[in-house]
Amino acid sequence: MSDTEISPLQDPTQEAQETANENPLLAAIDLGSNSFHIIVARMAQGEIRTVERLGEKVQLAAGLDEQQNLTEEAQERALNCLSRFAPFLTGIQHDNIRIVGTNALRAAHNSQQFLNKAEAILGFPLEVISGREEARLIYVGAAHSLATQKGRRLVVDIGGGSTEFIIGEGFEPLALESLHMGCVAYTQRFFNDGQITAKRFQQAVLAAKNELLNIVKPYKKLGWQQIVGTSGTIKAAATVLQQQGWSEHNITREGLVKLSRELVKFKQLDQVEIEGLKADRAKVFPAGIAILLAIFELLDLDEMEYTEGALREGILYDLVGRFSHQDIREQTVNALIERYQVDAQHGQNISTTALHLYQQVKKQWQLQGDDFNLLLRWAAQLHEIGLAIAHSQFHKHGAYLLQHSDLSGFSRQQQSVLAVLVRSHRRKFPMIEFRLLPDSLQQPLIYLAILIRLSVLLNHSRPDEAITCVEIKVEEKQINLQFPENWLEENPLMQTDLELESQYISGSGLTLAFS
């Protein structure tokens, strides 16, 4: 057999397909306040191996007007970038893609308008994450890119609209914070007319120090043995300092002072030109260096190393964790149950009944995928969390806690979904709450809410084991519950509850019948 011949027992196409199935493609898109990034990778032998990587300066934060709305021009820049990203998602499984927005989209009052347009281009849902969730994911990405060592590390990420600070050990973050200062935001605030002066630069440094005062004491008390920076500003600083010979390897305080003096000599942002600095970062570089210098001075840092791992890598590793049953959201839900002393057994019974009903209707109600079963289970487990505040209207208290707490692993939209499901599990059906959610989610979540309501009702007497003897059938807007023979006669209170529930459910546009 020649070297070019292929054995009939080997099919390279099949072999490649098997490899792809075992190591599927993953994709993460980071919609940052300064830059948008996409990374496509494959998980192989416990490592994420990059297949494609692309980044563009969009400066979304610069497109926030006085009313904190994204301008049409800024949206157009962002959507054009996403149009170039979209082809990279072709062929990747839906559950293997995560697209997150950060500070600029947290701040924009019209962010949902933009998200709807972006979703139409990409064909996948987008989520806006909280500052602390952003910090957690940054730490996950950085930790996986660094050599394992004993002790704590401080990770700093200067973005366009916010700066994240994390202290962690190994792969576990111990302290998370996101402060409202970033290279784009500070450029607009201190250098908005394009002028650079020593006075303005110092004002930016002092403003950053003022923001840092909130975390200095607790962070120093916790302490660290390693200092790591990540993302654009810090990468650019490391590159410039080395190119200029102001540091050998890491970023140093002495080097930053020299760099600061050099920057103010340019007088104009559009004249900033230093060896090692990319032209598309030059205009926001002085503001970023002002923030970095403030961090060094107030936290008493002498040196900082740079690592490539950041938010988008953290998103990928978080996705991998979900596949391997290490979903941080599970830990978060369990922590909430413990913190607020929720009746875990009863919550589990509600969850079991809800999933029993879900399996029977998911096809007709088109509830497959998109984490619907997970959201249903978590909302069922947490439906009584509001009792920690008061029994009266505890469903509303529970919704408030879930909406406004920092929940690791959850996007703001997922928190809103959990809040609405908990809010709607009893009493009047709150249709107005569902109308505040994205159009594509409204009807599916109404269905999930009904499944939780029915599960709570069926387990009203708090039995030792979940009620799973009920069959549910749906047809158009009709819901039919079928009980075992004589079951309702033996449980007369249940029949009364069902009659009242049928009135509540009618508020959702559906009707309930039972026999």
Side-chain angles (χ1 to χ4, degrees):
M1 183 183 295
S2 69
D3 291 339
T4 57
E5 288 181 335
I6 299 174
S7 165
L9 298 178
Q10 296 176 325
D11 182 347
T13 305
Q14 181 181 352
E15 185 177 347
Q17 184 61 48
E18 288 173 357
T19 301
N21 291 337
E22 292 173 4
N23 306 304
L25 286 174
L26 310 171
I29 296 180
D30 160 17
L31 309 179
S33 301
N34 185 41
S35 306
F36 283 10
H37 293 271
I38 181 172
I39 181 171
V40 178
R42 196 181 296 281
M43 191 69 184
Q45 297 177 339
E47 295 182 356
I48 286 179
R49 298 180 180 175
T50 302
V51 176
E52 298 284 354
R53 183 190 293 268
L54 185 65
E56 289 190 22
K57 295 288 185 295
V58 174
Q59 295 198 337
L60 199 62
L64 288 170
D65 63 19
E66 293 180 356
Q67 287 74 43
Q68 288 297 95
N69 286 316
L70 289 171
T71 63
E72 289 297 325
E73 182 184 1
Q75 291 190 53
E76 185 177 355
R77 285 199 308 270
L79 295 172
N80 287 339
C81 173
L82 294 181
S83 295
R84 291 186 283 275
F85 283 3
F88 290 93
L89 302 180
T90 303
I92 303 178
Q93 293 180 19
H94 189 282
D95 291 339
N96 292 1
I97 296 172
R98 193 174 180 197
I99 307 165
V100 304
T102 57
N103 187 264
L105 289 172
R106 288 195 290 269
H109 294 158
N110 63 339
S111 61
Q112 191 57 55
Q113 177 192 84
F114 168 76
L115 293 173
N116 291 339
K117 296 175 184 175
E119 185 172 341
I121 290 172
L122 295 173
F124 296 92
L126 289 77
E127 50 188 296
V128 179
I129 56 177
S130 70
R132 288 189 175 177
E133 174 63 4
E134 181 180 354
R136 184 188 72 83
L137 290 170
I138 287 167
Y139 184 80
V140 170
H144 278 90
S145 68
L146 295 166
T148 303
Q149 67 173 51
K150 293 182 179 179
R152 293 171 183 161
R153 59 169 64 103
L154 169 67
V155 176
V156 179
D157 184 305
I158 300 173
S162 64
T163 298
E164 281 64 49
F165 297 84
I166 314 96
I167 295 177
E169 194 164 355
F171 296 110
E172 292 298 320
L174 304 174
L176 301 164
E177 195 57 73
S178 178
L179 300 183
H180 296 293
M181 55 186 191
C183 61
V184 176
Y186 268 38
T187 297
Q188 291 181 293
R189 182 174 170 185
F190 298 102
F191 313 108
N192 63 329
D193 61 356
Q195 303 283 329
I196 310 173
T197 66
K199 182 179 179 180
R200 289 187 180 189
F201 186 88
Q202 191 57 32
Q203 286 175 334
V205 172
L206 291 174
K209 287 183 176 180
N210 192 51
E211 287 287 337
L212 280 161
L213 286 175
N214 295 316
I215 69 167
V216 169
K217 283 187 178 180
Y219 269 55
K220 283 186 175 180
K221 184 177 180 180
L222 194 55
W224 55 80
Q225 287 73 51
Q226 182 185 20
I227 304 151
V228 181
T230 189
S231 292
T233 290
I234 294 176
K235 179 180 181 179
T239 303
V240 170
L241 291 180
Q242 289 178 38
Q243 292 279 348
Q244 296 298 318
W246 293 335
S247 70
E248 291 186 11
H249 301 291
N250 297 331
I251 299 170
T252 63
R253 189 190 304 199
E254 182 182 356
L256 285 177
V257 171
K258 291 180 179 178
L259 177 56
S260 302
R261 291 170 181 164
E262 191 69 21
L263 287 172
V264 297
K265 292 179 182 178
F266 287 101
K267 306 299 183 184
Q268 299 280 345
L269 290 180
D270 57 10
Q271 293 177 4
V272 173
E273 187 177 347
I274 304 177
E275 187 178 356
L277 179 65
K278 294 181 179 178
D280 59 1
R281 178 162 292 276
K283 289 186 178 181
V284 297
F285 192 56
I289 294 302
I291 294 170
L292 186 55
L293 184 60
I295 293 168
F296 265 71
E297 291 181 350
L298 211 57
L299 293 179
D300 295 325
L301 308 182
D302 292 319
E303 244 182 291
M304 174 186 288
E305 63 181 283
Y306 170 74
T307 183
E308 287 284 350
L311 176 59
R312 48 201 171 275
E313 288 80 12
I315 295 169
L316 291 180
Y317 278 106
D318 209 51
L319 277 173
V320 171
R322 295 179 183 184
F323 302 154
S324 58
H325 307 293
Q326 296 175 347
D327 193 335
I328 187 65
R329 294 174 297 178
E330 290 284 358
Q331 298 176 31
T332 299
V333 170
N334 291 333
L336 287 171
I337 290 171
E338 183 176 352
R339 182 190 312 164
Y340 292 105
Q341 299 182 326
V342 177
D343 185 337
Q345 182 58 54
H346 183 57
Q348 185 58 50
N349 286 347
I350 303 301
S351 172
T352 299
T353 301
L355 291 172
H356 168 72
L357 300 176
Y358 168 84
Q359 291 298 329
Q360 299 178 61
V361 299
K362 64 180 182 180
K363 185 175 181 180
Q364 295 96 314
W365 277 351
Q366 298 181 351
L367 295 175
Q368 302 175 62
D370 287 335
D371 282 349
F372 285 134
N373 61 330
L374 292 175
L375 292 168
L376 176 66
R377 176 162 60 82
W378 292 327
Q381 291 176 308
L382 296 169
H383 78 285
E384 288 188 335
I385 191 173
L387 288 173
I389 296 178
H391 187 277
S392 176
Q393 301 192 59
F394 72 87
H395 53 307
K396 295 182 180 179
H397 300 319
Y400 182 88
L401 287 173
L402 293 172
Q403 180 72 66
H404 298 287
S405 298
D406 284 321
L407 303 185
S408 292
F410 288 91
S411 66
R412 293 204 306 184
Q413 185 180 92
Q414 289 172 335
Q415 288 190 221
S416 296
V417 167
L418 283 180
V420 169
L421 292 176
V422 168
R423 164 70 178 82
S424 61
H425 88 265
R426 65 196 290 263
R427 303 290 175 84
K428 183 179 178 182
F429 205 91
M431 284 298 292
I432 190 170
E433 303 286 343
F434 290 92
R435 298 306 179 215
L436 297 175
L437 296 168
D439 293 346
S440 61
L441 288 177
Q442 289 178 16
Q443 192 58 54
L445 293 178
I446 288 171
Y447 290 146
L448 292 187
I450 288 173
L451 294 180
I452 293 177
R453 293 178 69 96
L454 294 175
S455 301
V456 170
L457 185 150
L458 291 170
N459 292 277
H460 192 185
S461 63
R462 306 180 91 87
D464 293 335
E465 295 185 4
I467 302 298
T468 56
C469 60
V470 185
E471 291 185 12
I472 181 171
K473 295 182 179 179
V474 296
E475 187 174 350
E476 295 184 351
K477 294 185 179 297
Q478 177 79 29
I479 304 169
N480 292 290
L481 295 181
Q482 295 181 350
F483 292 86
E485 189 175 355
N486 299 325
W487 199 89
L488 285 176
E489 287 79 0
E490 295 170 3
N491 297 273
L493 292 179
M494 180 67 67
Q495 185 159 341
T496 302
D497 286 344
L498 285 167
E499 289 171 354
L500 178 60
E501 183 60 26
S502 67
Q503 297 176 32
Y504 285 138
I505 285 181
S506 65
S508 71
L510 302 174
T511 58
L512 173 67
F514 53 91
S515 59

